[in-house]
Structure formats: structure tokens, C-alpha cells
Amino acid sequence: MHVVLLGPPGVGKGTQGELLADALGWQRIVTGDLLRAQRDARTPLGQQAQGYMTKGELVPDPLIIAMVREQLATFPPGTSVIFDGFPRNSSQASAFKMMLETLGLTVDQIAVLDADDDLVVERISGRRSCPTCGAVYNQSLAPPNRDGRCDKDGTALFQRADDEPETVRHRLEVYHRETEPLIEYYEGSRAAVHHIAGDQAVEVVQTALREALGVEVGAS
Ligand code: AMP
């Protein structure tokens, strides 16, 4: 099963994808996380990507497509995968389709998490991340137990540079222009497209997501 999570930045795709993957034993390909790891390790890809990421622009397609292809190749055949943050525009979607086709695979289901721009800006401005383990918190919605510290390892949390309000607005513009049209693209494909209200509590969204995808915990 190949599931794509679509939705604006900050709507909760990462949280929902992680919950789902952990519950079902599925894998995830999260292009933003892969890029941040490359950037932090100062690899050539990370250095090429950094400027685009800081400005909230899309990293060039060939870099992304090669990165996804490489990651996908690490999974054994038959692995179920959740894609979060990819594809992000129509050329990535076409390349993705071809990439899967050459492996005899398809994009099966699309889950769109919907939310208004204002809510997204509000949520992202409260988002804080752990530089050590990557855990993500929200100051008002999902705060850490100890103010400003990661629950898992006690590291001081930080705000991503691209989570500053001005950059978030730009990321939203990019989302509406480049990524949102993919909903229509997938509605015209064989994949099933589900819409889920992303402005609800984490557990409510997770339940709706599982129902929409028709998955049961314990199945694969
Ligand atoms: P995200 O964590 O998904 O919001 O991604 C953070 C940043 O990484 C984005 O603003 C882009 O600069 C870059 N990025 C992530 N995924 C992609 C993608 N599929 N195509 C191009 N750029 C991406």
C-alpha cells in the first residue's frame, strides 16, 4: 500500500503519518526530514537544498526525485509506505508515478488533511523541535512536560527557521500554487482521495484517517 499525505505545512501530516506508521508497522518517506538530515550532516545534497529550505522554496525536482528513489530502494518488496511532503508539484507526481510503475507499484490512496491558512500559521508559530531526536511539540497543543525541553532526552527545543511567520506565509503560497493542484490530479487517477478535517484533535484526526484508509491496527 502506498499512501500520500497531502495538506498545507503545519497541518499535522508528520504527526499523523508517524502515528499511523508506528501502529501499522509501515515505513515513511518524509522528504522534509530527509532534507534536514542531509543539511545537518552538511552533505552536498544538504548544502544544495539549504538555501531553498530557509526561504520556503521548493528544492529542485531532480534532487528530490533521486532522494526518494534511493530511499524507496532501501525497503523490501511489499513494504507499505506513507509519503509525507512528496510529491509537491505536478512534475514530482509524474516522476513518482513512473518510479512506482517501473517497480510494478501504484499510488493507492491519498489522504488530504484540510485546514485554513490562519490556523496553520497559528499552529506553526507554536511548533518546537528537538535537535537531538527530531521529536516535535506544540507550545499550546502538545507542549513538552518541562518547558522548552524534549521529553525524550531533555535537549533544549528550537524553532525551525522556516517556521517564522513570514516564511510560513510564503510556504503556504507555494503550497496553494504548486501542491494543492495535485488533489485534482489524483482525483482524476485510480487512487482513492480522502479529505479529512485537519483542525481537530490529534486522536480524532488519526481515527478519521484510519477509517478513510480502511486500515486496522495490527494489519499491514
Ligand atoms: P516540510 O518539512 O515538508 O515542510 O519541508 C521543509 C522544506 O523542505 C520545504 O519548505 C522545501 O524547501 C523542502 N522540501 C520538502 N519536501 C520537498 C519536495 N517534495 N520538493 C521540494 N522541496 C521539498
Side-chain angles (χ1 to χ4, degrees):
M1 169 89 80
H2 294 92
V3 173
V4 173
L5 296 182
L6 284 179
V11 73
K13 299 187 296 296
T15 304
Q16 296 299 334
E18 189 175 6
L19 286 172
L20 193 64
D22 285 352
L24 297 169
W26 290 7
Q27 294 290 339
R28 287 195 304 153
I29 292 186
V30 185
T31 46
D33 286 354
L34 292 172
L35 289 167
R36 280 183 285 278
Q38 298 277 339
R39 183 196 58 195
D40 296 347
R42 297 178 182 276
T43 64
L45 167 58
Q47 288 177 342
Q48 279 176 283
Q50 177 165 21
Y52 297 97
M53 294 170 75
T54 310
K55 286 188 233 140
E57 299 284 353
L58 294 187
V59 173
D61 295 336
L63 299 178
I64 298 289
I65 292 159
M67 186 178 77
V68 170
R69 184 179 285 120
E70 200 174 299
Q71 186 69 22
L72 200 55
T74 66
F75 300 149
T79 303
S80 288
V81 188
I82 299 166
F83 296 85
D84 168 355
F86 176 86
R88 207 79 158 216
N89 60 24
S90 59
S91 61
Q92 289 183 15
S94 311
F96 185 38
K97 183 168 185 275
M98 279 166 52
M99 189 192 302
L100 290 179
E101 268 171 13
T102 55
L103 299 167
L105 304 170
T106 48
V107 179
D108 303 302
Q109 306 210 61
I110 314 294
V112 187
L113 302 186
D114 296 305
D116 289 343
D117 286 6
D118 289 344
L119 179 97
V120 163
V121 174
E122 192 189 314
R123 273 203 193 172
I124 291 193
S125 64
R127 182 156 74 177
R128 297 291 180 274
S129 310
C130 173
T132 303
C133 72
V136 179
Y137 300 87
N138 187 289
Q139 285 183 317
S140 47
L141 299 170
N145 295 327
R146 200 150 55 98
D147 196 27
R149 296 270 162 190
C150 179
D151 290 348
K152 295 180 188 165
D153 49 44
T155 311
L157 303 175
F158 77 106
Q159 183 177 33
R160 278 168 46 178
D162 63 345
D163 279 352
E164 307 279 352
E166 203 176 304
T167 314
V168 172
R169 289 270 172 213
H170 184 60
R171 288 165 65 200
L172 277 166
E173 273 168 37
V174 172
Y175 172 76
H176 291 306
R177 190 179 66 236
E178 303 279 341
T179 312
E180 207 168 28
L182 295 184
I183 300 171
E184 211 173 313
Y185 167 88
Y186 281 118
E187 278 168 352
S189 79
R190 291 174 56 183
V193 180
H194 316 282
H195 284 267
I196 294 144
D199 57 354
Q200 311 175 86
V202 169
E203 318 77 62
V204 178
V205 175
Q206 181 66 200
T207 304
L209 182 59
R210 289 180 190 180
E211 275 173 20
L213 297 174
V215 291
E216 283 173 35
V217 173
S220 66

